[in-house]
Amino acid sequence: MIRAAVATDVPVIRAMIRELAEYERAPHEAVATEEQLHVALFGAAPALFGLIAEDDTTGEPVGFAVWFLNFSTWRGTHGIYLEDLYVRPQARGGGHGKALLLELARIAVERGYSRVEWSVLDWNEPSINFYKSLGAVPMDEWTVYRLTGDALTAAGGN
C-alpha cells in the first residue's frame, strides 16, 4: 500500500499537489513544476523525500506524502517535517493517510529522529481529528511565521 516515490511518480505527485492546493483553497499558490519536483526529489542532492499510497486492488496512486529533514538543536537529532500529506477523495477512509503517517513514524524511529511534525489549517477539522486520533498534539504555543514574495526580497537585500 505504501512505497517510496520513484522518478516516474513526479507527474502524479504534481497533480496531487494541485488537488491539495485546491482543497486548501489556494490553487494559485501551487506553482511548482515537474522539473523542480524531480530535482528536489531525485536530483544529485535530494532535499525532499516522497511516499506513495497505492490502491490495494488497482495499484493506482491514491495519495502521497512529501517530507524533508529538519534538525532540533535542543535534542541534537534530525526530525521529519511533513510538507504535504494528501489522499484523493475517492480513497479517503481506506487507511491510506494513516498508513502514510505510520510509515513516516517508522522511518523516524528507525533512523533515530526525534520527531515528525507538520502544519494543518485551523479550519481543517477532519484532518485535525485524524491527527489527534494518532496521538499527535497541536503546538498551540507556537505561531508559524513566513517571509515570502516582496517581503523576502526586501529582507534579502535584493
Side-chain angles (χ1 to χ4, degrees):
M1 177 188 297
I2 305 300
R3 63 171 175 79
V6 296
T8 55
D9 290 319
V10 170
V12 76
I13 290 171
R14 184 177 182 281
M16 286 192 280
I17 288 170
R18 295 278 309 157
E19 292 169 28
L20 174 60
E22 289 173 20
Y23 174 76
E24 291 185 349
R25 306 173 189 161
H28 59 284
E29 293 182 33
V31 297
T33 66
E34 286 184 21
E35 182 179 343
Q36 288 172 311
L37 292 171
H38 189 273
V39 169
L41 285 159
F42 305 107
L48 190 65
F49 307 93
L51 298 172
I52 299 292
E54 294 181 334
D55 180 275
D56 290 333
T57 304
T58 66
E60 291 296 313
V62 295
F64 80 107
V66 291
W67 56 278
F68 55 87
L69 294 179
N70 58 19
F71 190 85
S72 170
T73 57
W74 290 15
R75 293 182 176 251
T77 63
H78 280 289
I80 288 175
Y81 187 84
L82 173 59
E83 179 65 20
D84 288 332
L85 174 73
Y86 178 73
V87 175
R88 289 182 157 154
Q90 69 273 17
R92 291 183 188 152
H96 302 290
K98 182 176 183 178
L100 286 163
L101 269 174
L102 294 179
E103 179 62 9
L104 285 176
R106 186 197 67 73
I107 290 167
V109 169
E110 177 183 87
R111 297 180 186 179
Y113 302 161
S114 58
R115 59 185 164 206
V116 176
E117 58 189 357
W118 60 92
S119 297
V120 61
L121 291 165
D122 292 339
W123 56 260
N124 193 345
E125 283 296 320
S127 293
I128 291 168
N129 292 334
F130 165 63
Y131 299 143
K132 286 181 178 179
S133 77
L134 295 176
V137 294
M139 303 298 293
D140 292 333
E141 67 275 16
W142 293 87
T143 300
V144 175
Y145 282 82
R146 177 179 293 163
L147 275 175
T148 190
D150 292 342
L152 176 62
T153 301
N158 295 325

